[in-house]
């Protein structure tokens, strides 16, 4: 089965190309991701550790695992995975993100295979991974189902797919569009298209239709008083994340 030719949306790529140099500025355009990153990493590492029976207190607990961070941006997730011992490939369709990620990894003394490519091209090349991290990407592609099929093809049988995105409802419009882009100005206006947000039930259907078995989902909830994010079993109203396993 061949992956679709591409699900890249050129207008979406252009948005992130324009912001490439700001990836590692904790007070810049990617401030929301820097704030969210510890919460994302908590979920990702716990899911990988559980799936592959790894002890997170051990040195390099992910040694021997090949992990793909698709839509890697500047490497905010790829670098922690490499520090945990994984063999990491970071891929992004926005070409300008790659040298930013490469330079930062070199400065950090990390070996990460960064590539300007797409999920579809990697799937057609027969690439295989133990885990695919697919964070805040699916709401930016032209065809979510085709994109998720490509992600499934990139997994070894029994491999783990972790996907986060934004729910589509009135609250997410207020928080993610009006709040983040217009009031707080955390992101440039137009970064997100609310009509492309995906509800948890829609994502579950997409994952299943792509050949993946959803096994978990959690919400990322922002506390404006503590100015921090936490995981929630119940509140998936704005940001949320799922874990799925490739059928053998």
């Amino acid at each position: 089965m061949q992956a679709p030719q591409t699900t890249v949306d050129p207008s979406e790529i252009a948005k992130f190309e324009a912001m490439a140099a700001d990836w590692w500025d904790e007070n810049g355009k990617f401030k929301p991701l820097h704030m969210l990153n510890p919460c994302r990493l908590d979920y990702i590492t716990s899911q990988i550790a559980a799936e592959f029976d790894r002890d997170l207190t051990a040195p390099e607990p992910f040694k021997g695992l090949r992990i793909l961070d698709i839509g890697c941006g500047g490497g905010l997730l790829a670098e922690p995975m490499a520090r945990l011992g994984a063999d990491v490939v970071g891929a992004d369709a926005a070409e300008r993100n790659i040298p930013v990620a490469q330079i930062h990894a070199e400065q950090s003394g990390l070996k990460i295979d960064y590539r300007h490519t797409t999920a579809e091209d990697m799937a057609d090349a027969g690439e295989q991974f133990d885990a695919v991290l697919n964070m805040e990407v699916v709401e930016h592609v032209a065809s979510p189902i085709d994109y998720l099929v490509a992600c499934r093809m990139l997994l070894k049988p029994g491999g783990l797919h972790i996907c986060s995105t934004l729910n589509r409802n009135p609250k997410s419009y207020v928080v993610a569009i009006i709040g983040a882009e217009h009031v707080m100005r955390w992101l440039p206006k137009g970064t997100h298209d609310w009509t492309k947000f995906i509800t948890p039930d829609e994502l579950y259907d997409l994952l299943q239709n792509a050949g993946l078995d959803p096994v978990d989902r959690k919400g990322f909830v922002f506390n404006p008083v503590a100015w921090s994010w936490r995981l929630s079993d119940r509140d998936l109203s704005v940001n949320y994340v799922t874990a799925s396993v490739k059928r053998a």
Side-chain angles (χ1 to χ4, degrees), residues 22-98:
D22 296 312
W23 273 106
W24 289 97
D25 181 357
E26 293 186 10
N27 294 305
K29 294 171 182 174
F30 292 102
K31 181 177 180 177
L33 275 185
H34 282 278
M35 294 170 61
L36 177 58
N37 221 33
C39 197
R40 293 198 305 175
L41 284 168
D42 182 32
Y43 184 83
I44 291 167
T45 55
S46 64
Q47 289 294 320
I48 293 175
E51 187 64 31
F52 296 100
D53 194 24
R54 299 301 176 97
D55 179 2
L56 288 172
T57 64
E60 297 193 321
F62 292 169
K63 193 171 185 64
L65 294 178
R66 191 167 192 241
I67 296 177
L68 171 65
D69 181 13
I70 190 76
C72 63
L76 271 62
L77 290 174
E79 289 200 5
M81 294 299 107
R83 287 192 179 94
L84 291 169
D87 176 12
V88 181
V89 174
D92 206 299
E95 186 173 7
R96 287 181 61 195
N97 287 337
I98 299 304

Side-chain angles (χ1 to χ4, degrees), residues 8 27 42 48 60 85 107 109 113 155 160-161 166 173 192 207 215 223 232:
V8 169
N27 294 305
D42 182 32
I48 293 175
E60 297 193 321
Q107 291 173 340
D113 181 0
L155 284 168
L160 181 67
H161 176 258
L166 287 146
Y173 184 84
H192 287 110
L207 291 166
V215 294
N223 183 330
S232 172

Side-chain angles (χ1 to χ4, degrees), residues 217-236:
R217 65 184 182 187
K218 296 281 192 298
F220 292 135
V221 180
F222 183 66
N223 183 330
V225 176
W227 209 248
S228 63
W229 292 82
R230 65 176 176 84
L231 287 168
S232 172
D233 290 327
R234 297 183 180 181
D235 188 351
L236 281 67

Side-chain angles (χ1 to χ4, degrees), residues 7 138-150 196 198 203 206 210:
T7 59
V138 70
E139 72 270 22
H140 295 289
V141 301
S143 172
I145 182 60
D146 287 333
Y147 172 67
L148 291 172
V149 166
K196 296 178 80 171
I198 302 169
L203 184 58
L206 285 165

Side-chain angles (χ1 to χ4, degrees), residues 118-215:
T118 66
E120 293 80 13
D121 284 347
M122 294 183 74
D124 283 342
E127 296 271 4
Q128 292 269 278
F129 298 88
D130 296 289
V132 170
L133 310 184
N134 178 11
M135 311 296 282
E136 290 88 42
V137 178
V138 70
E139 72 270 22
H140 295 289
V141 301
S143 172
I145 182 60
D146 287 333
Y147 172 67
L148 291 172
V149 166
C151 288
R152 187 259 301 159
M153 292 172 66
L154 286 163
L155 284 168
K156 297 175 183 177
L160 181 67
H161 176 258
I162 298 178
C163 178
S164 66
T165 189
L166 287 146
N167 201 342
R168 188 183 68 257
N169 55 36
K171 182 178 178 180
S172 70
Y173 184 84
V174 170
V175 173
I177 305 295
I178 297 175
E181 296 184 13
H182 294 263
V183 178
M184 300 303 293
R185 296 184 181 178
W186 279 341
L187 293 167
K189 293 177 183 177
T191 297
H192 287 110
D193 179 351
W194 181 81
T195 63
K196 296 178 80 171
F197 289 4
I198 302 169
T199 70
D201 287 346
E202 288 171 346
L203 184 58
Y204 257 43
D205 286 343
L206 285 165
L207 291 166
Q208 289 174 324
N209 290 334
L212 294 161
D213 287 329
V215 294

